Amino acid sequence: MNEALVVGKNQETPAAEPPLRVLIAAARPESDAQLTAILREAHQEAAIEAHPSVETALEALSGGNFDIAFISVDLDGEEGIELIGVAPTIAPKTAIIGIVDHRDPERDAQCLSAGALDCLVLEGLTPALVWHVVRFGVSRKRFEDRLRANNDQMVRHLIDLRDAKERAEEQGSAYVGVAEELSIAKEELEEALSKAEDNERRYRALSDTSPVGIWQMDTKGNTLYMNDSIKRLLEVPDDYDCLTIQLESLVIGDDTAPMHAALKRWADGTPGDAELRVTGMRTGEQYHLVMSGVGLPATARDAATILVTAVDVSERKKAEAAMHHMAHHDALTGLPNRSLFLQRIEFSLSETTRSGSYMAVLFLDLDHFKDVNDTLGHPVGDELLIQVSQRLLNCARGSDTVARLGGDEFAILCSNLKSPDQAAELAQRIVETIAHPYNINGDEIHTATSIGISTFPTDAKEPARLVSFADMALYTAKEQGRSNYKFFDAKMDEVVQRRKALENELRDSLLSEQLRLHFQPQIDLISGRLVGAEALIRWQHPVRGLVYPGEFIPVAEQCGLISPIGQWVIEASFIQAKRWSQTLTDPFRVSINLSAVQFRQKNLVQRITEMVESTGTDPDTIEFEITESMLMENPDQAVKAMWGLHELGFSLAIDDFGTGFSSLAYLKKFPVDCLKIDKSFISDMLDDPDYATITSSIIKLAHSLNLRVVAEGVENVQQAAFLLEEHCDLVQGYLYGKPVDADTLAKRLSAA
Ligand code: C2E
Ligand code: MG
Ligand code: MG
């Protein structure tokens, strides 16, 4: 202990040191006075409190901070000892000294074991002794206190140490867990790394052997990696450093803008395809690539990149282009077809409007092309079309479009014309050029053309209408004599519209049974008897009344309705002929007109055979009329059909004879039974000697070939007399009766 204890007057006492506080609990007042006096002598500044009873002493001790207490062992009888016993507890900082009147070892032991530090005998007590007792007692008490305090501190340290140790142990085990986890993580990381390396190797191998081009680049299109396929595709030389290749340097000029757009899209994180054309590095050949790009975002180590897979679709593109060409061009001549022609017109419309110029569509077809095909064969026909297309291209300007619209139909689009006259000049040039002979396989072939012209903006503003109007103009050009050209005018459209309306009505007529057959009598000139009748079709129109065949048969032929109409005529005539054969005793023959279209049909004989069977008509009672031109059109087919009908037992007559070009000798080829002299000869023969000569020659020559002769359109007795004189066999005409319905004719027959 290094702390100075200030207890006496002889000692230097610091001013701040509080005075010694002393409690005296003496059993007798004289003891108290004696002790106080001695203490005063030993410690003049001591604050001394005297308590004559245990009760007040106990209270004072527990409340006050006494340095030392002198307690009589025999205070309040024996209670002094008890007070000494509790004093250390209630006043732990106070040094307790027992007081006895005289020395008694038993009492001393009692006092010390109760807790007193010493036991003083009042007898012989001196201030020096008291000074020592006080000094010793207080020092000891303070030492004990410090000891206790140190001890407490030690205990606290021990507790803290134990806690720290426990915490350390806990943390230690936590660290062990973390370390274990770390080591597992490390193993996993190593495994993942090795897997990643494996994958990388695999992907690299896959990428190098992939048929798909794989190209990694930065967001500007600078190469970071290329697999073998893309190198092959781009024709990258073997020793070339592909990292110096930029996408832009290979993409062809037109595709630069889409390329930049694609790079931006990919870099922004939108994957997708871009079709780009690139140039091969060695050959300079152009390849069409479909590039599918995806952006790989930047990482801590690497900048953002773009991964592109590229597939070469050049072959597909070529095939598509070829298909596109095929879809828009005629295979034979290589010329644009109708669809491309219409597109070109559409394309030129706005340019023509803008420039204030004219545009013309020329529509043309070849005269007698069908004859060339039929007589000389399709290969010759094809060659003729090719040569015609060449001549048309030569006539047209480079900026014109020459198209083949189908069959022998061609069209030319001339744009940027100063006036429609320029189209007329071209048309005239074409008419002349096409008419020059063609040399095909050593044969000289002739053809000719007529041309219809429509113009924009005068006639129409839609491509299809322009073509259709040029077609109408062509139709009119042909009607007005071949080998010329005609501009469209609005009246032609009216005619066509009327025809269309007629077509529709005619179609309905079949369904609503508006067709009728009239019969015109044929008379035997010598006997004057009614021996037959020609079946002539009429259309009982609900509004227009009776419509004659001259008006609707050509329309029916053109729109394909002639087939069902012709069939109806044959069937109705068969039925009527059968009726008459059943009611009349003398032979009676019904003539039926066959149209050219009907006659060309391959199954004509077959159909007629079926109708013979279904109606039960005797072919002997029927004559079919065909015209000269029908024989000329396709002689081989005509011979076949006529022999077929002849073998079935039908008679065959040549109608309107004399108007065509056939010679009588030519007729020998055909199984013909009768000639019908056209009414134009009959009507003029009495006025014009040439006609009279022709008529009598026809009759004579026909007879020389064993053919019957019918004179058509006999209107007066003079004509009849002349024909009788010339030995004409039969006559037909208004003189003998106009065409009438079957019932009317039947009445006349029964009256005869
Ligand atoms: P086509 O076969 O030469 O018929 C004779 C035409 O002359 C009939 O005219 C008849 O009415 C008319 N005709 C008869 N006698 C006289 C006369 O004395 N004077 C005058 N001026 N004319 C007379 P239609 O009935 O108008 O028939 C015209 C043409 O229509 C026919 O000429 C025929 O080529 C065709 N045709 C009539 N019916 C049919 C048919 O069922 N099928 C086919 N394919 N054509 C028919
Ligand atoms: Mg006739
Ligand atoms: Mg006739």
Side-chain angles (χ1 to χ4, degrees), residues 429-724:
R429 205 160 55 239
I430 290 172
V431 167
E432 286 164 14
T433 310
I434 295 298
H436 290 143
Y438 297 79
N439 187 325
I440 296 173
N441 303 334
D443 286 332
E444 191 175 282
I445 293 170
H446 292 262
T447 188
T449 187
S450 302
I451 300 176
I453 307 170
S454 65
T455 56
F456 172 84
T458 324
D459 299 331
K461 294 182 171 49
E462 302 84 25
R465 275 170 78 81
L466 278 167
V467 173
S468 147
F469 286 173
D471 189 10
M472 285 179 202
L474 168 64
Y475 188 80
T476 318
K478 280 188 189 166
E479 273 183 348
Q480 296 182 357
R482 304 210 164 226
S483 289
N484 68 7
Y485 64 86
K486 192 94 197 143
F487 277 93
F488 171 81
D489 79 55
K491 279 193 207 107
M492 294 176 189
D493 191 26
E494 281 168 30
V495 171
V496 169
Q497 296 308 333
R498 266 212 306 281
R499 245 196 32 206
K500 274 202 185 135
L502 192 73
E503 259 176 51
N504 290 335
E505 288 178 347
L506 197 56
R507 213 163 260 127
D508 292 347
S509 74
L510 269 165
L511 298 171
S512 46
E513 299 178 341
Q514 293 167 4
L515 298 180
R516 306 275 180 273
L517 272 189
H518 279 189
F519 295 89
Q520 186 174 33
Q522 290 180 345
I523 310 293
D524 182 305
L525 247 187
I526 297 173
S527 67
R529 290 179 49 192
L530 211 166
V531 292
E534 180 177 3
L536 296 159
I537 191 169
R538 268 88 183 102
W539 177 9
Q540 188 63 56
H541 192 279
V543 180
R544 293 160 62 192
L546 209 58
V547 183
Y548 286 86
E551 202 173 329
F552 66 86
I553 289 291
V555 177
E557 281 182 332
Q558 270 176 15
C559 70
L561 278 174
I562 192 66
S563 199
I565 290 176
Q567 187 132 338
W568 177 84
V569 169
I570 297 172
E571 198 163 14
S573 304
F574 276 17
I575 291 166
Q576 190 55 54
K578 188 180 177 194
R579 266 189 214 140
W580 280 323
S581 72
Q582 285 169 342
T583 52
L584 300 172
T585 43
D586 293 327
F588 191 84
R589 190 183 283 122
V590 173
S591 302
I592 301 172
N593 292 281
L594 285 181
S595 90
V597 178
Q598 249 179 311
F599 193 61
R600 277 203 294 269
Q601 282 166 352
K602 297 244 157 52
N603 58 357
L604 175 74
V605 176
Q606 169 68 26
R607 283 215 184 149
I608 289 174
T609 309
E610 283 165 13
M611 277 190 270
V612 168
E613 282 164 12
S614 65
T615 56
T617 303
D618 181 358
D620 238 11
T621 62
I622 303 290
E623 183 162 79
F624 284 109
E625 296 186 10
I626 52 177
T627 61
E628 283 172 285
S629 57
M630 282 155 69
L631 296 181
M632 300 295 293
E633 215 175 73
N634 185 350
D636 292 345
Q637 149 90 21
V639 168
K640 235 172 152 189
M642 287 176 80
W643 276 107
L645 294 174
H646 175 81
E647 278 162 13
L648 283 172
F650 295 105
S651 292
L652 296 167
I654 305 295
D655 202 0
D656 304 339
F657 192 81
T659 54
F661 304 100
S662 55
S663 68
L664 280 168
Y666 192 66
L667 286 177
K668 276 188 188 168
K669 282 176 72 175
F670 303 101
V672 176
D673 302 283
C674 172
L675 291 186
K676 294 186 79 175
I677 306 172
D678 190 70
K679 56 181 177 288
S680 57
F681 294 98
I682 309 301
S683 65
D684 289 349
M685 67 186 178
L686 296 183
D687 305 323
D688 188 331
D690 285 347
Y691 279 81
T693 313
I694 292 170
T695 306
S696 59
S697 316
I698 292 173
I699 296 168
K700 282 193 185 77
L701 286 167
H703 283 162
S704 73
L705 289 168
N706 280 331
L707 304 179
R708 263 180 293 123
V709 181
V710 180
E712 281 189 294
V714 181
E715 291 180 346
N716 54 54
V717 286
Q718 291 83 358
Q719 292 165 341
F722 178 83
L723 291 166
L724 184 63

Side-chain angles (χ1 to χ4, degrees), residues 121-141:
V121 182
L122 280 174
E123 245 175 28
L125 201 62
T126 63
L129 186 61
V130 169
W131 189 85
H132 279 293
V133 167
V134 168
R135 183 172 170 259
F136 171 75
V138 170
S139 300
R140 181 166 161 185
K141 196 68 203 168

